[in-house]
Amino acid sequence: MKGYLPIARPYLTDKEILELNPLVLAFVGDSVQQLMVRTKLACNTTAKAGELHKLQAEQIKASAQAKYMDEIMSILTEEEIAVFKRARNSHMNTIAKNATIADYKKASGFEAVIGYLYLLGKNERLEELFEKI
């Protein structure tokens, strides 16, 4: 599955990426996670589109993302943890539909880390983290 993410560089500098609103990083990270999960499912199952959608939804819901964050927290760098905390602690104008507030905030932090790494072009690091979850 290596090498299937497009390269986002050189749209922003590392400093500009770090300075992005953490919820913007989460916005990007949500899409990146969806692409990674959908690609993996499409390549590793014979399920039809409707079933693929259900399988994908289970993996990208807030409670699942919060669990993933717990699984990778110990291997995150200081920079990645800082991005996670900024997103987790951000004021959110939306309400979690099917998750606790704590899970929703943790999921936003997870998505922000994914978005951050993607925008930096660190696809190998993304793949490393996704192998852990």
Side-chain angles (χ1 to χ4, degrees):
M1 294 300 299
K2 296 196 183 283
Y4 59 89
L5 277 177
I7 304 298
R9 302 295 277 173
Y11 300 114
L12 300 168
T13 66
D14 290 4
K15 183 178 186 286
E16 289 170 326
I17 292 167
L18 189 57
E19 291 173 351
L20 283 173
N21 180 307
L23 297 181
V24 171
L25 293 173
F27 172 76
V28 172
D30 177 64
S31 294
V32 171
Q33 183 193 12
Q34 282 193 43
L35 178 61
M36 292 179 79
V37 168
R38 286 175 180 221
T39 302
K40 182 178 178 183
L41 288 170
C43 293
N44 293 306
T45 182
T46 59
K48 295 185 178 176
E51 183 63 23
L52 288 172
H53 178 73
K54 288 177 190 173
L55 292 169
Q56 173 246 297
E58 281 298 310
Q59 293 184 40
I60 63 163
K61 64 185 181 181
S63 59
Q65 291 174 327
K67 184 181 138 211
Y68 301 153
M69 195 67 229
D70 290 337
E71 292 173 7
I72 64 170
M73 185 62 94
S74 65
I75 62 169
L76 293 182
T77 65
E78 287 182 31
E79 236 177 39
E80 293 163 352
I81 290 171
V83 168
F84 163 75
K85 288 181 178 179
R86 281 180 49 223
R88 181 197 62 194
N89 297 334
S90 291
H91 176 73
M92 298 174 191
N93 293 324
T94 58
I95 299 170
K97 294 178 190 172
N98 299 310
T100 65
I101 292 172
D103 277 356
Y104 190 70
K105 287 181 165 281
K106 194 182 285 187
S108 293
F110 172 79
E111 291 173 341
V113 171
I114 301 306
Y116 174 70
L117 292 171
Y118 171 74
L119 290 173
L120 286 175
K122 295 188 175 184
N123 291 356
E124 286 184 24
R125 177 64 172 156
L126 278 171
E127 290 171 6
E128 176 186 344
L129 294 180
F130 273 86
E131 285 177 17
K132 300 290 184 193
I133 59 173

